[in-house]
């Protein structure tokens, strides 16, 4: 999966809203942690920690369906890119799960009232996967 950046200008609302999800999030899988950060007018996310990385800091993206990308290091791997919107919902993509090697070209992030982040990626309208992330800081 090739990650591409979404272009577009940001509004004041989008700029303020994007700060609501910036920070460190626990993915709930393998002790995974993803840092969400501003990338231009959008939000992006990169892997900062996971159990496989603690066991082997040089762990690679071995589950990637694209053999050419399997040598990428997991630490620092961009797994969310080009999300715009806010203050409660952001749309963008692509999104990628290195644990399974699955990804989606488009996805939606929703900051729920309980403070959890709902990450929903769809390959088609009926083939979606949703994960709940919890804020670390």
């Amino acid at each position: 999966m090739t990650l591409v950046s979404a272009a577009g200008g940001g509004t004041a609302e989008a700029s303020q809203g994007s700060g609501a999800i910036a920070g460190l999030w626990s993915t709930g899988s393998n002790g995974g942690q993803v840092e969400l950060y501003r990338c231009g007018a959008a939000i992006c996310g990169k892997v900062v920690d996971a159990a496989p990385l603690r066991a082997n800091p040089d762990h690679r993206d071995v589950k990637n369906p694209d053999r050419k990308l399997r040598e990428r290091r997991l630490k620092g791997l961009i797994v969310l890119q080009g999300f715009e919107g806010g203050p409660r919902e952001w749309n963008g993509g692509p999104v990628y799960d290195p644990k399974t090697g699955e990804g989606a070209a488009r996805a939606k992030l929703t900051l729920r009232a309980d403070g959890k982040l709902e990450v929903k990626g769809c390959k088609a309208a009926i083939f979606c996967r949703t994960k709940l992330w919890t804020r670390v800081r």
Side-chain angles (χ1 to χ4, degrees):
M1 167 183 286
T2 303
L3 295 177
V4 294
S5 163
T11 64
E13 181 181 273
S15 295
Q16 291 170 353
S18 63
I21 62 170
L24 190 61
W25 293 86
S26 171
T27 67
S29 270
N30 281 339
Q33 292 184 346
V34 171
E35 179 186 356
L36 298 184
Y37 60 93
R38 296 280 316 244
C39 53
I43 289 289
C44 294
K46 65 181 174 183
V47 174
V48 294
D49 193 20
L53 290 174
R54 288 188 294 278
N56 174 12
D58 196 40
H59 195 75
R60 305 298 172 131
D61 189 15
V62 296
K63 300 261 179 144
N64 198 301
D66 184 341
R67 291 185 180 279
K68 293 177 264 172
L69 299 178
R70 291 182 183 167
E71 287 301 313
R72 300 186 300 178
R73 285 193 170 101
L74 282 188
K75 182 147 181 120
L77 182 67
I78 296 172
V79 293
L80 297 167
Q81 198 165 12
F83 285 82
E84 295 182 336
R88 292 278 176 216
E89 292 184 358
W90 294 261
N91 292 292
V95 62
Y96 175 69
D97 182 355
K99 180 182 175 190
T100 63
E102 296 177 358
R106 303 290 303 157
K108 181 177 186 177
L109 306 176
T110 304
L111 187 58
R112 299 175 4 156
D114 63 4
K116 293 187 181 203
L117 185 65
E118 187 175 290
V119 180
K120 181 178 183 179
C122 298
K123 289 189 176 186
I126 59 171
F127 298 111
C128 299
R129 189 169 125 204
T130 302
K131 299 278 288 187
L132 284 181
W133 292 3
T134 306
R135 187 182 296 276
V136 176
R137 64 173 155 85

